[in-house]
Amino acid sequence: MKRCDLLVDVGRRRFLSGAGLAAAGAAATTMVPQAPARAATAPARVTYPSARLVNIKDLKENEPIAVTYPDADAPGVIIKLGKAVPGGVGPDRDVVGFTTMCPHKGFPLHYNHERRTLNCSGHYSVFDCEAGGQETWGHATQNLPQYSLRVDANGDVFAEGLDELLYGRLSNVL
């Protein structure tokens, strides 16, 4: 008698556990009543505080200034990059702001002047400041939270929101 070499021996225990999961899944789909359709609700809106962070004349190209936003427990930086970038404000559209807590595990980020990136010393994530805080390397699963900035007629730079959730928070404002 000829033997088939294409069969895989999965073992009795593995076969029975897989069969049991399949049977439980099939039973659950036939026994669970369907929930009635609900009307769509609008997502909750977060109202961010408007906070003056710095005056534009105090910024020097490629030298970050430490700030906190939206509260004292949220460290960040304002940077004048010297060229127009996404989310940039000011006359040259080159002023941006980011949180300096890594979205992966909350490690502090450090600015690399040569590459114009914020780098995590914990697990080596790298965030490109010229590309809106996009992660270019590392373990983080989201981009770096960037501040929504505006500049008034006096040159004061105000933060008025964030585009991502700060590390360790269910909401960016308390």
Side-chain angles (χ1 to χ4, degrees):
M1 183 164 170
K2 206 171 187 188
R3 186 179 153 149
C4 178
D5 293 330
L6 301 177
L7 295 177
V8 176
D9 183 15
V10 295
R12 189 181 86 165
R13 181 175 289 163
R14 191 169 208 185
F15 173 79
L16 290 176
S17 67
L21 287 173
T29 58
T30 60
M31 297 181 136
V32 175
Q34 296 295 321
R38 290 201 256 175
T41 58
R45 299 200 49 75
V46 174
T47 303
Y48 289 97
S50 179
R52 181 193 177 279
L53 300 177
V54 69
N55 189 284
I56 206 152
K57 66 183 174 201
D58 297 328
L59 296 171
K60 294 184 176 111
E61 187 174 321
N62 206 23
E63 291 185 21
I65 293 180
V67 296
T68 59
Y69 184 79
D71 53 48
D73 295 324
V77 291
I78 299 293
I79 310 165
K80 180 175 178 58
L81 294 170
K83 73 175 192 175
V85 294
V89 298
D92 300 324
R93 317 285 302 154
D94 65 342
V95 176
V96 292
F98 299 97
T99 180
T100 54
M101 286 184 11
C102 183
H104 175 235
K105 293 283 184 180
F107 283 91
L109 300 175
H110 304 284
Y111 187 66
N112 181 312
H113 296 274
E114 294 165 5
R115 295 185 180 166
R116 296 177 189 237
T117 59
L118 284 163
N119 303 336
C120 179
S121 60
H123 297 105
Y124 311 111
S125 290
V126 176
F127 303 92
D128 188 345
C129 296
E130 294 179 331
Q134 181 178 10
E135 181 190 16
T136 58
W137 180 261
H139 292 283
T141 58
Q142 76 178 49
N143 294 328
L144 193 59
Q146 183 174 7
Y147 300 154
S148 296
L149 300 175
R150 76 173 168 85
V151 179
D152 72 4
N154 298 323
D156 289 328
V157 179
F158 288 83
E160 299 188 329
L162 289 150
D163 67 352
E164 298 273 354
L165 190 61
L166 292 172
Y167 172 77
R169 298 191 183 196
L170 300 177
S171 170
N172 284 337
V173 290
L174 301 174

